[in-house]
Amino acid sequence: MSFDGQVVRPDQDLLPLYNEYVCVRVTNMRGIDLNRYRFDFDLTLAVLLMNPDGTIYNRYGGRDHRAADVWLNKPSLARVLRDGLIEHSRYQQSPAPPATRPRKAIENVDAFARKDKGECIHCHSVNPALREEAVSLGNWKPEDLWIFPTPGHVGLELSPTDQTLITRIAPDSPAAICGLRPMDRLLTMGGSGPISTISDVQWALHNQSPASSSISVSWKEQDGKIHTGVISVKDGWKQDTPLAFSWRPSKWGLTPAPGFGGRPLKRQEKKTRGFVESSFAFRVGYLVTWGDQARYGRIAAKAGLRVGDIVTAIQEKGDFRSVEHFHAWWRLTRKAGETVPVDILRQGKKMRILIPVIE
Amino acid sequence: MRSLFLLRKTLVLGALALGFLSVPSFSEDLSPLWQTDLDKATLLAKEQGKALLIVFR
């Protein structure tokens, strides 16, 4: 059973925890107030534990380019469910409802409404529409791309099963300079509520400025001693690599786009063609000659690329980890006016296609 | 031999079909635990003094 399946059909030992909550499963973002239910909309699974007054106690979910379920497991879920109940009990002693913000639903965002066909709205449709809205209002900044930074951005590595526990600190990183050490446990960060999960950490980091800033943090040592400190980050600290960005479905809306894509070659086909198993190679399955991004596919076709070609390197780079990595790399690093050499195999013959990058 | 094979195949397919039919749909299986209307669930949580567990999928 997928982890999502495990979340919605909890084991008998998790059921008593679930029963302490009112459980809701949302599969359609239509009508959902984005100012109230705030999470990383690129995720395929996100959990909020919250008071009905809008106060969010904890978040659960999170992923990276390695896999969708890197941070999803039963021990960490059980822990956050327990922590959420403790926080709920504490909060009820002195409630402090968040300031009311105007309701904002994705179908009321012009950039989305223009394309709205009245169907079910997936979470991953939200970020591209919000970005398009910000661009049209002149509010978009390149650094806005770097949302929900992972703990690695400040030098922290956390345990997947016990996500408050620090397993490694990168040498000379902001966290190391702050004084955090492996086996310490995060308590709070950036003025947020209690940390229980990597999603809580990412939310705390998400709310910090992308410029040089100081992030307050508290933690507990193994012996129980509690510390507070400040993690100092430098300008641009949220920026990440194309690989780290590659899992995000919101990348599809970014431009310039390559205008083509396809499926990676299967292991057997790589073997037959004499490729190393780990090598990058995909068969062009489509040229985007329709919709908003048709210009990219048309220019790739004009340059000579065809459906069925096998792409083996781009800009002499053959170390892409996946087709998604290639897509993120192109969108994040290529600039209009450049020409990108794309190495292909066509009917066993090596060829190089030069594709102009356009706006 | 062939009829034995066909009998076995029929039994296996029949068992699979029965198994498939006996799997409850999402709404049947989960309705006691899961709400699907966020606004109603929020009111319910208020009434019951409970926290909300919201899964966005």
Side-chain angles (χ1 to χ4, degrees):
Chain A
M1 193 192 297
S2 67
F3 189 77
D4 177 46
Q6 291 176 50
V7 169
V8 295
R9 294 179 176 84
D11 292 348
Q12 285 305 309
D13 46 342
L14 284 185
L15 199 54
L17 286 168
Y18 277 66
N19 285 332
E20 295 299 315
Y21 290 90
V22 170
C23 303
V24 200
R25 192 172 192 262
V26 178
T27 54
N28 182 1
M29 290 300 284
R30 190 174 296 279
I32 300 297
D33 184 358
L34 305 177
N35 281 335
R36 182 181 172 95
Y37 305 100
R38 298 171 69 198
F39 57 95
D40 187 344
F41 301 117
D42 273 336
L43 293 172
T44 47
L45 173 75
V47 178
L48 297 180
L49 304 180
M50 63 190 290
N51 190 284
D53 73 6
T55 302
I56 296 176
Y57 301 139
N58 293 105
R59 291 172 162 76
Y60 186 74
R63 65 159 294 172
D64 61 33
H65 68 274
R66 293 170 293 175
D69 58 356
V70 173
W71 295 98
L72 308 178
N73 51 69
K74 192 173 160 187
S76 60
L77 177 63
R79 181 189 172 112
V80 73
L81 292 176
R82 280 194 292 269
D83 287 351
L85 291 175
I86 292 167
E87 189 55 17
H88 183 58
S89 172
R90 192 200 63 75
Y91 180 85
Q92 284 178 308
Q93 306 303 312
S94 53
T100 310
R101 303 177 69 189
R103 188 179 176 98
K104 180 176 186 170
I106 189 63
E107 65 271 25
N108 301 133
V109 173
D110 279 349
F112 186 87
R114 283 197 300 273
K115 302 168 193 164
D116 191 0
K117 293 176 184 162
E119 295 165 348
C120 194
I121 305 172
H122 297 289
C123 297
H124 64 74
S125 303
V126 175
N127 280 338
L130 294 180
R131 184 168 56 229
E132 206 177 320
E133 180 195 39
V135 169
S136 67
L137 295 173
N139 296 333
W140 173 258
K141 298 181 294 299
E143 56 266 34
D144 294 339
L145 200 60
W146 310 112
I147 56 175
F148 292 88
T150 57
H153 284 254
V154 294
L156 289 171
E157 212 167 277
L158 304 175
S159 161
T161 50
D162 181 352
Q163 298 175 8
T164 64
L165 183 68
I166 299 169
T167 52
R168 186 176 171 272
I169 300 273
D172 305 320
S173 64
I177 293 165
C178 174
L180 285 149
R181 292 183 302 186
M183 303 312 289
D184 288 345
R185 280 179 187 281
L186 291 174
L187 298 175
T188 62
M189 188 179 271
S192 69
I195 297 287
S196 181
T197 67
I198 185 170
S199 271
D200 292 334
V201 175
Q202 288 184 273
W203 173 247
L205 295 177
H206 176 73
N207 288 309
Q208 308 303 314
S209 164
S212 296
S213 42
S214 301
I215 306 166
S216 62
V217 61
S218 66
W219 69 93
K220 188 159 76 173
E221 283 186 356
Q222 260 183 306
D223 64 6
K225 198 173 167 188
I226 291 174
H227 295 267
T228 58
V230 170
I231 295 177
S232 300
V233 287
K234 291 181 182 163
D235 198 27
W237 67 280
K238 288 186 178 180
Q239 188 166 340
D240 219 328
T241 61
L243 178 61
F245 193 80
S246 62
W247 68 268
R248 290 189 173 277
S250 59
K251 69 178 175 294
W252 301 115
L254 296 177
T255 57
F260 62 96
R263 290 175 184 274
L265 291 198
K266 290 183 176 157
R267 184 185 297 179
Q268 187 55 43
E269 188 168 3
K270 280 187 184 176
K271 202 174 167 184
T272 309
R273 293 180 178 276
F275 295 160
V276 179
E277 193 180 319
S278 60
S279 62
F280 172 72
F282 73 92
R283 189 184 303 282
V284 177
Y286 60 88
L287 289 154
V288 183
T289 52
W290 66 91
D292 293 346
Q293 299 195 353
R295 61 194 182 282
Y296 300 114
R298 286 186 188 133
I299 205 156
K302 196 175 167 191
L305 194 70
R306 293 184 200 161
V307 169
D309 289 343
I310 294 172
V311 176
T312 56
I314 296 140
Q315 194 89 41
E316 299 188 354
K317 265 175 69 67
D319 59 351
F320 295 104
R321 301 267 191 91
S322 62
V323 178
E324 285 72 23
H325 182 192
F326 144 68
H327 278 288
W329 171 85
W330 188 297
R331 287 166 164 82
L332 294 176
T333 67
R334 298 303 88 194
K335 300 278 179 285
E338 295 175 356
T339 299
V340 178
V342 177
D343 293 339
I344 62 159
L345 278 179
R346 182 180 293 162
Q347 293 168 343
K349 192 179 159 194
K350 286 184 183 177
M351 295 173 68
R352 174 167 282 190
I353 309 276
L354 300 174
I355 301 182
V357 181
I358 54 170
E359 272 304 336
Chain B
M1 192 68 183
R2 181 172 166 75
S3 59
L4 193 63
F5 171 75
L6 284 173
L7 177 64
R8 199 169 65 180
K9 193 175 171 184
T10 307
L11 284 173
V12 168
L13 288 174
L16 283 173
L18 280 174
F20 177 74
L21 290 173
S22 67
V23 173
S25 69
F26 179 82
S27 56
E28 289 166 349
D29 189 19
L30 304 171
S31 56
L33 183 61
W34 293 94
Q35 305 284 323
T36 52
D37 184 318
L38 191 47
D39 291 335
K40 280 185 190 165
T42 302
L43 286 175
L44 191 64
K46 256 184 208 168
E47 282 169 20
Q48 297 183 355
K50 286 183 170 181
L52 287 158
L53 187 171
I54 312 171
V55 174
F56 291 93
R57 181 74 167 91

